Each structure stands twice: as C-alpha cells, then as structure tokens.
Amino acid sequence: MIDLSVQAITDLRRGALLYGSLLSCAVLLILLRRQLWVYWKFFYACFLKPLDRGNSADVKVLSGQQRALEGFYRTQAEIYDITRGTLLCGREDMLQLAAAQLKHRLGSRSAKPIWVDIGGGTGYNIEKMNDFVPVNEFFSAVYLVDLSPSLCQVARQRFAKLGWKNVHVVCEDARTFALDKSVDVLETTEAGAAGGNKYRVKADYVSMSYSLSMIPDFYSVIDTITDILAPHGLISCVDFYVQSASSYSLRNFTGGHHSRHVNWFSRLFWRTWFRLDRVHLDEGRRDYLEHRFGTILNVNERNYALGGIPYYVWLGCQRTATSAGIAGALAREAAERIDALATESPYLSPIHYSEKRAEAESAAARETRLQLRSKGFEAAILNLATNVPLPSFFYQNQRWRLYYDESLPKHTQFGNEYIYAFTWEDPAEDQRLLHIGQDDVVFAITSAGDNVLSYALQRPRSIHAVDLNPAQNHLLELKVAAFSALPYEDVWKLFGEGRHPRFRELLLGTLSPYLSSRAFQFWLDNTATFGTRGGLYETGGTRIAVKLSKWLFRLLGLRADVRRLCNAATLREQRAIWRTRLRPVVLSRWLSYVVVANERFLWRALGVPPNQRDMIYDDGLAAAAASGGAFEPKEAMWRYVVNTLDPVVENTLLRDSNYFYRLCLMGRYSEECRPAYLSKEAHEKLSQPGAFDGLRVHTDEFVEVLARIRPESVTVAVIMDHMDWFDPEGAQAIEEIRALNKAMKIGGRVLLRSAGLKPWYIGNFSAQGFKCERVAARTAGKCIDRVNMYASTWICTKVSSDPTAEVDVFIDYNDAPGVDGGDFETVETLEL
C-alpha cells in the first residue's frame, strides 16, 4: 500500500485540476475555432491592418475611395454580416418603418415600386426586408449600389442563392448612378420630379444603411438622390452620429429633438474612435440630409450594448411632397390647407398672380383685415422664405397633429411624461347635457383622449383637442392611430387591458404611418408601457395614487375584498362589501389626514392644484359657518372624499357600469364595463376611412388656440375643471373667457366642472356675455355622474359678445354679398 502524505494528495489534485482546465480550454478552442477565427479577422481588419498595406494587386490598381474601401473590406467581406449584428443597430427598425410607409403610401396602386439601396454592401438589408414585404413580388426592381467589389460579390452570391431575379447589384460610385442606364428597369416613373427631367426613370424608395458616414463627397450623393427619387418617393437612413443641441435647437424641420443631444465627451470619443476606420460622424452629413428632404419620422437612439453609441433612424421625402391628403400640392398650398383646418377658416387657394391679378389684389386687401393664421402656417412661411423644408408635421400622412415648438418651457415643464393615463370625466353625461351632433364644432381638453374619442362617435363637423402637455396628445395620437390601423382585438389589448406583448412590432410595422414624428419617438422610447405588469393604466403622473391604493389593499389583506366589490352582481352585495370591509379603511380619517390631505400627494398623485384645493377649503369653511362648527382644512378634505366615494359605491355598480373606479381598482377594463369607444360597434365606426378627418390636435394654451380659430365658429366647448386651476387674483380667467366668447357662436355652450359649488369665475362668465346655469350640484349621498369627483357642473351659454373686450373687425366671408357660403376660394400672392 502506497502511503501518500496530505501534501502529495493536495498536489495531485491541483495538477489534475490544472491539466483538466487546460484540456477543457483546448477542446473549447477546437469547437469554437471557426467563431474565434471570424472575430480575429474582424479585429485584424479593423484595428491592426493598415489600410494601404497588405493588399493584393487587384486592390492596388484601384484609386481613391474605392481603393480605401476595398483595402478595408477585402479581408472581412465574407464575415461582414456575422460581425456587424451588434454594432449596426437600427437597420431592421428602419426597414420595417420603410415597409410600413411604402404599403401605406402605395395603397391600391398597381405599379410596383423601385428600390435603390445606396451603399448596400453584402445585401443584408435587401434580404432582411423580406421579413416585412416579399421583395421578389413587392418591388418591380431593386438596385444595390456599392463601391466595394468584394462586398458586391458577396451580395451577388446571396441573391443567386435566393433566386431573386428582380435584384441587381451595381458596383458603381453613387454620384454617377442612374436608373436610365439599366435596361432591365421598368419605366414606371412619375413625370415632373422635383429634380426636373435630369433622370428619366425615378426610384420610389432610396435607402442608406450606415453608408452616409463613409462617403467622402456626401453632398454630391445626397444631391443625386434628390434627382433620382420620385416626387412622392420615400428615403430612409440609419447611421451613427454625434451632435450638440446648440447646432440644431432652433430648427423646426427635424422631426423632434428628443435625445438628439450628445454630451461633449461622447462627441469627442466617438468621433475619434470611428475616424480610425474612415467613418465620419461630423454633423454636416445628417444636417444636409435633413436640409434637402422633408422629414417624416426621426428617431434618436443609443446602442447601449457597445457603450452607448449614438445612432439615428430617419425617414424623409421630397421637400415638395406634403401629406398624402394633398398630393401634388405646392408647399405654400399645403400650408394654406392645413392652416384652414386648424383655424376653422375658409381655404385660401394660391393661384399664379399673372392669371388673376385683380382677384389677387382683392384677396390681399381682405387678408390684412383677417389675421387668422395658425402657428404652423407662420412657421411654414418662414421656412419657405429661408429655403429650408417645412416642419415635419406637414409631411406626415395624417393631418390630425398640428405644429408646435417642443423647445418652449411651457411644454418641457412636463418632463416628457403625461399626467393622466385615463380621463376622469363622464362622456355619457356630457352627451346628455350637450347633445353633440354633426353640425357641431367641438373644443375640448385632450387629457387622455377618452372623451375626445367618445365625442367622435357623434360625428361632429370638427373636434379641436387641446392640451399644453405634448405627451397627453401623444397618447391621443396613439389611440387614433390604433383605431385607424388595427383590428378590434389589438385595440382592446392596448386600451382595454392596457397590455400588449407585440406593441413594439405593431408600432413599427402598422401604427408608424399614422403617427407624427414626435409621437412615434415618444412611444418607441416607452414601449415598456404596454409590457409591464401594471400596463398602461399604471403609468403617468396619477400612477402614484393607483399604485398606492393597490399597495395599501395588499398590506391590509383586502385584495380579495376589492375583487369581490368589483364583481358584485347587485348594488346590495356591493354596498355590504363596501360598508363592512373597505370603507373603514379607505375613508378613515387617519388615512385622509396623513395622505389625501397632503399637498404633494394632491398634486403629484391626484392632479389637484393648490387653487382647486383652496376651493374645496372655501366650501368647507362655508359649511362649517352654516353649522356653527369649527373649520379644519383636513376635515374639509376628508368630507370631500366621503361625498365623492360613498355615493359612487352606493348608487353605481362597478361590475357593469362604473368603469372609472373599476379601472383604478383592477388595472383594466372588462368587456361588460368599459368606455363606449372601446366597444366593437364603436371600433367599426371609428375605423372607417375619414372617421377622424375632423380632428385637430393642438399642443398649446387655450387662449393661444382660441385666438387663432375663426371667430364665432365653435358651438361646444368642454373645458373640464380647467378654470379651477387659475388664480382668482390673476387675469388668466378673464382672458380665457374672452377668448371663448370670441371663438363661439351665439348659443354656443361651455360645459365645465368644478370642485366648488359656486366657483368664483362664474361671475366672470356672466359679465362677459354668457348665461350660466348650474346643471348639477353634489350633495351628501347624491351622485352627479359616475365619476362624482366634482362638486358642480355648469353650462355657460353665449348670449352676446363680450362687452368688456375691445371691438375687433371681422369679415365673415360666408355672409359677404356675392359669396357662396359653401366652398370658398380666394387668390393670394406671396412675395418673399
């Protein structure tokens, strides 16, 4: 028997472990030798190999940019696609967005589009596009243009293997490429291109994927694309970039500035890093692209897998190709049409001055007396005068969203977040009181957009949805886009359940053609909204109250009772659960004093501003004086909450009627208990073509919007509890009432709600041309609607012009002698 010491045994074990580790590494190296060899070649070609050394003879005979490209790519052409998946982010997103735009724009057009991929390399993009549209069937011809022979050879092998006969690989300088040279191309071009007749055959789609940053003479290439792109063609680009806010902050045509700024260290680092491989991140490339084309969509992202490399995805069109609804219109005419829609004014059509000189002079004279211009029109005219593209809103496919300046502090104060994920107003009560019909022009606060969609079911002539918070309008845009593009099942998942596992896919591939650039960027940044456990209805500023209530019920073991309350079949059963289990907690004085009456909770969680809180205190003070008791602010707030919740639970059934409170408690709607606009019948109506033609979404203050709406055109204004927010000592309420009076017809009605029984501003309405009537007042034990959040509801009817306002001269063209009250057209000239 061999007697081994402990030390010897330990040494043997260490040796076995070492040799085992070495053997495992050797086996692993053998198994992964192919992958390791690939990345070694990539590392050598990118970081070690000099561009002008170690090249074969056929590379050395090349010159200029082609020699540089071939010297860089010859070594790694066969492994290019394997090693670029993580680095070149956004390519798939760009292709999916482009496919969605092409399908939306082409519609039922029988002619197939032509696609030119500039700097297409190995053909990865063209093959990947097949995931979104069948390339060999959707396109009449596809042209891959690249200057590297090695990459073009890989592309030819790829398409030969796929068997796509309509794809052509062209190894040529993009500056000299023209479709006319190709005998295989179908002559399916539109006449009168923006670039003139320099090229007989035009492309319907041009793409650039991480190629613009590698083109030395990028000005000439972009100019060439301008010439070969069809008048209503599409162009897309994805690439690296770095840029400081100081260089773009004053531009209104970029499609949004969110996340575009790159800090100074990242700018310096990434410029230096990529310059080693002749990839140039100077700002002029993207700037010139945005200067030569109109922006449809713009996305600024970061590749966090590789240290946060900034990149962008951009979709554009010819500068003269405005929205599809006015195809072929001149830029000035597009501005006129959208201006007329935004202001409820007659459409003023520009006709060449020499054709009708007398009419033009007459129109110009009238124009000086009628100063109704939207901010979008003013921005468009300024852009035309300075030879830059129109704001991106003019190039969107839909005309719902109107221009606004996102950089203003009044918009940035909201921190790119909406406050309300759902609307706390009862649209059924609104309709009962207002009887909105097809002849009405409705002016309403957007909030979460729920009531706007309910009003749209009545098919009014137009709806002006107004909100100062851009994100609230982004939410409305998303809902309108969903009804326009998605089947009922997807709409229900998004806004009934508040969750959808495929939201990002739907956003890129289906909803994007219906969204403005800024709304699309917002939702792309917030795709997790519909993927989290809480879903849509636990987002926004009011999520604090929803989450706090859920946490409280869980802590106190009341979750089962909450479910029983929401599923109670009768009011008797519901009342019993409320009185015995939930009310003692929810309406306890300690909870109200510690949480609900807290000023920060009132504003951050419930959206109650200080001026509105003071109105509640004023009513509490009046009640205490009438009863001879002492006034306590926290007691007044508790009493207000009691008068809100008790009547709701006692008189409305949460199972099939009161979807407002059911949503707060359950986090989603049910098929039996949901807003009217989420029914199948409503979807059938709202998904019809033209269902939202009358919708105008304004991102601005009330007074700013009303001042630019044609006087005496609005018939209904629903302003919720908006007036409660004003300071009684300030002039804002007077100014807003004056603006309402000017914009509304005689007999027009303003519906408002208030936390006070007798709001202080009702006297201002009466003094400024309105007859005011309180149509509902909340008393103990009584519901004024299913929300029951407010103490009173008022309708203020316009009976006269505002006697306190300065007299403005307004000429109503519809009533002018010799003018037809229907379609109205005048002639204008524009001298820049």
Side-chain angles (χ1 to χ4, degrees):
M1 179 177 294
I2 301 175
D3 186 14
L4 296 176
S5 66
V6 175
Q7 182 63 39
I9 294 174
T10 302
D11 292 341
L12 285 174
R13 287 177 177 175
R14 287 177 178 174
L17 182 61
L18 175 62
Y19 288 120
S21 300
L22 291 174
L23 181 62
S24 299
C25 290
V27 172
L28 191 62
L29 286 173
I30 294 172
L31 294 175
L32 299 178
R33 65 187 184 280
R34 181 177 178 82
Q35 291 86 341
L36 293 173
W37 176 247
V38 164
Y39 283 99
W40 162 248
K41 288 181 69 175
F42 168 73
F43 181 80
Y44 171 74
C46 291
F47 303 108
L48 299 180
K49 177 183 175 295
L51 291 176
D52 296 325
R53 297 181 184 178
N55 295 322
S56 59
D58 57 339
V59 174
K60 292 180 180 180
V61 300
L62 303 175
S63 62
Q65 174 69 357
Q66 188 173 42
R67 178 173 178 172
L69 286 173
E70 191 64 2
F72 182 70
Y73 286 121
R74 171 66 67 94
T75 310
Q76 52 176 319
E78 294 182 356
I79 63 168
Y80 182 89
D81 292 334
I82 300 175
T83 57
R84 294 312 195 276
T86 304
L87 176 64
L88 306 182
C89 285
R91 293 181 294 175
E92 294 80 4
D93 290 352
M94 179 196 74
L95 294 170
Q96 191 169 6
L97 288 170
Q101 288 284 339
L102 287 170
K103 288 187 287 186
H104 181 81
R105 286 163 168 255
L106 293 175
S108 58
R109 200 179 97 179
S110 58
K112 296 181 179 180
I114 299 171
W115 175 15
V116 177
D117 189 19
I118 303 292
T122 63
Y124 172 87
N125 288 340
I126 296 174
E127 182 178 1
K128 193 64 181 178
M129 176 65 92
N130 203 56
D131 291 346
F132 313 118
V133 293
V135 172
N136 60 332
E137 298 175 3
F138 186 82
F139 296 99
S140 64
V142 181
Y143 292 87
L144 185 156
V145 182
D146 200 283
L147 199 54
S148 169
S150 297
L151 296 181
C152 287
Q153 182 59 29
V154 174
R156 291 189 183 97
Q157 295 172 359
R158 180 194 298 271
F159 300 126
K161 184 178 180 180
L162 291 170
W164 291 351
K165 304 299 183 182
N166 63 331
V167 180
H168 311 276
V169 179
V170 182
C171 188
E172 184 180 344
D173 191 327
R175 295 175 296 181
T176 62
F177 174 77
L179 290 169
D180 306 65
K181 300 176 183 178
S182 306
V183 295
D184 297 319
V185 70
L186 299 179
E187 297 183 13
T188 55
T189 180
E190 301 179 66
N197 294 318
K198 182 177 179 180
Y199 295 97
R200 180 172 53 88
V201 180
K202 305 285 185 178
D204 300 287
Y205 173 43
V206 177
S207 62
M208 290 187 291
S209 173
Y210 290 96
S211 56
L212 183 60
S213 57
M214 298 192 70
I215 299 174
D217 186 12
F218 62 91
Y219 293 106
S220 297
V221 172
I222 292 175
D223 290 342
T224 298
I225 295 173
T226 307
D227 291 329
I228 68 172
L229 186 65
H232 298 289
L234 179 72
I235 175 174
S236 68
C237 182
V238 57
D239 215 327
F240 305 116
Y241 86 100
V242 293
Q243 196 162 19
S244 169
S246 61
S247 66
Y248 62 77
S249 59
L250 298 181
R251 300 175 194 163
N252 63 12
F253 55 87
T254 61
H257 300 158
H258 180 65
S259 295
R260 183 161 180 165
H261 175 73
V262 179
N263 65 63
W264 70 269
F265 177 79
S266 294
R267 294 199 303 271
L268 177 63
F269 177 80
W270 293 120
R271 271 202 194 102
T272 306
W273 177 268
F274 281 106
R275 193 179 295 127
L276 297 174
D277 289 331
R278 296 193 179 185
V279 177
H280 303 283
L281 273 59
D282 47 289
E283 300 171 353
R285 297 168 186 269
R286 184 179 183 183
D287 289 347
Y288 192 61
L289 185 68
E290 292 174 332
H291 173 75
R292 290 306 307 267
F293 297 95
T295 296
I296 297 173
L297 289 178
N298 173 46
V299 176
N300 304 296
E301 293 287 358
R302 303 291 185 272
N303 182 353
Y304 291 109
L306 293 177
I309 306 173
Y311 71 94
Y312 67 93
V313 179
W314 177 88
L315 269 69
C317 60
Q318 295 281 12
R319 282 169 57 163
T320 56
T322 52
S323 65
I326 38 182
L330 298 173
R332 164 77 180 191
E333 187 175 359
E336 292 281 9
R337 285 184 179 272
I338 294 180
D339 180 65
L341 295 172
T343 61
E344 293 292 330
S345 299
Y347 164 54
L348 308 177
S349 174
I351 302 177
H352 197 275
Y353 180 78
S354 61
E355 295 179 0
K356 292 187 178 181
R357 180 173 181 177
E359 290 89 343
E361 291 175 349
S362 176
R366 288 196 296 270
E367 181 73 8
T368 62
R369 296 192 295 269
L370 177 60
Q371 298 298 326
L372 283 179
R373 288 306 192 189
S374 66
K375 291 184 178 180
F377 178 85
E378 293 172 354
I381 295 304
L382 178 60
N383 287 18
L384 290 174
T386 53
N387 192 30
V388 295
L390 296 176
S392 64
F393 295 95
F394 287 87
Y395 299 107
Q396 59 195 29
N397 296 309
Q398 313 301 329
R399 289 171 286 170
W400 307 318
R401 191 69 177 267
L402 301 175
Y403 167 83
Y404 70 97
D405 185 351
E406 65 178 333
S407 64
L408 297 177
K410 64 182 180 181
H411 300 313
T412 59
Q413 65 174 316
F414 298 102
N416 202 39
E417 180 187 39
Y418 48 81
I419 298 174
Y420 307 103
F422 51 93
T423 303
W424 278 102
E425 308 280 336
D426 193 340
E429 186 69 7
D430 294 353
Q431 181 60 19
R432 185 186 71 81
L433 293 170
L434 295 171
H435 304 290
I436 297 173
Q438 295 184 356
D439 294 329
D440 280 312
V441 175
V442 180
F443 182 91
I445 295 178
T446 300
S447 188
D450 300 340
N451 286 19
V452 172
L453 293 173
S454 296
Y455 304 150
L457 290 172
Q458 311 306 322
R459 296 292 176 91
R461 196 178 84 187
S462 60
I463 302 176
H464 294 269
V466 185
D467 210 295
L468 190 59
N469 186 343
Q472 296 290 170
N473 283 335
H474 295 337
L475 180 55
L476 172 59
E477 260 200 86
L478 181 68
K479 291 181 178 181
V480 173
F483 275 97
S484 302
L486 298 178
Y488 176 74
E489 291 73 21
D490 287 322
V491 173
W492 174 255
K493 285 183 179 179
L494 287 172
F495 306 114
E497 299 175 4
R499 303 164 186 82
H500 201 302
R502 294 175 47 246
F503 174 66
R504 193 177 194 278
E505 178 186 342
L506 292 175
L507 179 66
L508 291 167
T510 308
L511 297 174
S512 57
Y514 297 87
L515 294 171
S516 66
S517 180
R518 292 167 189 174
F520 174 77
Q521 169 85 65
F522 177 85
W523 288 112
L524 190 64
D525 289 344
N526 292 278
T527 52
T529 295
F530 295 94
T532 59
R533 183 178 180 182
L536 170 66
Y537 298 113
E538 285 191 13
T539 62
T542 55
R543 69 184 182 277
I544 299 173
V546 175
K547 289 185 175 181
L548 180 62
S549 62
K550 286 188 174 182
W551 176 83
L552 185 65
F553 292 140
R554 185 183 299 113
L555 180 67
L556 299 177
L558 297 174
R559 294 179 65 187
D561 295 306
V562 170
R563 287 193 292 270
R564 287 174 53 222
L565 181 78
C566 293
N567 294 322
T570 63
L571 277 175
R572 175 177 294 181
E573 181 183 355
Q574 180 175 285
R575 290 167 183 161
I577 298 170
W578 170 250
R579 293 171 183 172
T580 60
R581 297 292 300 163
L582 296 176
R583 190 183 189 279
V585 175
V586 175
L587 294 184
S588 63
R589 278 183 165 82
W590 69 266
L591 179 65
S592 177
Y593 289 3
V594 173
V595 180
V596 179
N598 182 278
E599 290 189 18
R600 292 193 64 183
F601 181 82
L602 282 172
W603 171 236
R604 292 288 303 278
L606 301 179
V608 178
N611 290 327
Q612 191 172 56
R613 175 207 61 202
D614 292 343
M615 296 178 71
I616 296 173
Y617 289 166
D618 290 343
D619 283 347
L621 181 61
S627 62
F631 169 70
E632 287 289 339
K634 292 186 176 181
E635 177 72 15
M637 187 59 67
W638 176 80
R639 181 61 58 188
Y640 191 91
V641 174
V642 169
N643 290 338
T644 297
L645 297 181
D646 262 346
V648 165
V649 185
E650 296 286 340
N651 298 288
T652 65
L653 196 61
L654 272 63
R655 179 179 179 177
D656 58 16
S657 173
N658 199 322
Y659 61 81
F660 302 96
Y661 289 92
R662 181 185 178 88
L663 176 66
C664 289
L665 295 172
M666 302 299 291
R668 53 162 294 172
Y669 298 114
S670 69
E671 293 284 355
E672 299 79 20
C673 192
R674 51 31 186 179
Y677 78 87
L678 284 178
S679 67
K680 292 184 178 180
E681 295 76 17
H683 180 271
E684 185 176 351
K685 183 180 290 188
L686 294 178
S687 61
Q688 294 296 317
F692 296 104
D693 282 354
L695 178 63
R696 312 286 173 259
V697 183
H698 305 261
T699 308
D700 213 334
E701 296 159 318
F702 265 31
V703 172
E704 290 286 337
V705 176
L706 289 167
R708 295 169 186 269
I709 288 182
R710 181 168 166 261
E712 300 187 5
S713 60
V714 177
T715 61
V716 171
V718 183
I719 60 175
M720 300 184 179
D721 63 331
H722 171 71
M723 301 296 295
D724 282 3
W725 293 44
F726 292 137
D727 183 357
E729 303 299 325
Q732 287 179 296
I734 295 174
E735 293 173 0
E736 189 159 301
I737 296 169
R738 181 172 296 142
L740 280 167
N741 184 286
K742 183 178 179 180
M744 299 194 74
K745 286 185 174 182
I746 296 293
R749 295 147 295 160
V750 179
L751 174 65
L752 62 88
R753 293 180 170 88
S754 175
L757 286 169
K758 298 178 179 179
W760 57 268
Y761 47 78
I762 293 297
N764 296 103
F765 270 99
S766 299
Q768 293 179 244
F770 289 90
K771 178 183 178 182
C772 303
E773 178 186 3
R774 188 171 68 182
V775 293
R778 191 182 68 182
T779 56
K782 179 183 177 183
C783 265
I784 61 172
D785 56 36
R786 288 176 293 181
V787 178
N788 203 40
M789 184 74 72
Y790 303 103
S792 61
T793 304
W794 296 77
I795 288 184
C796 303
T797 305
K798 179 179 174 179
V799 294
S800 69
S801 298
D802 184 359
T804 68
E806 296 180 3
V807 178
D808 293 329
V809 177
F810 169 68
I811 299 175
D812 190 341
Y813 294 131
N814 292 327
D815 295 331
V819 176
D820 185 4
D823 294 335
F824 183 85
E825 183 173 297
T826 66
V827 184
E828 285 192 335
T829 60
L830 176 64
E831 296 181 4
L832 300 178

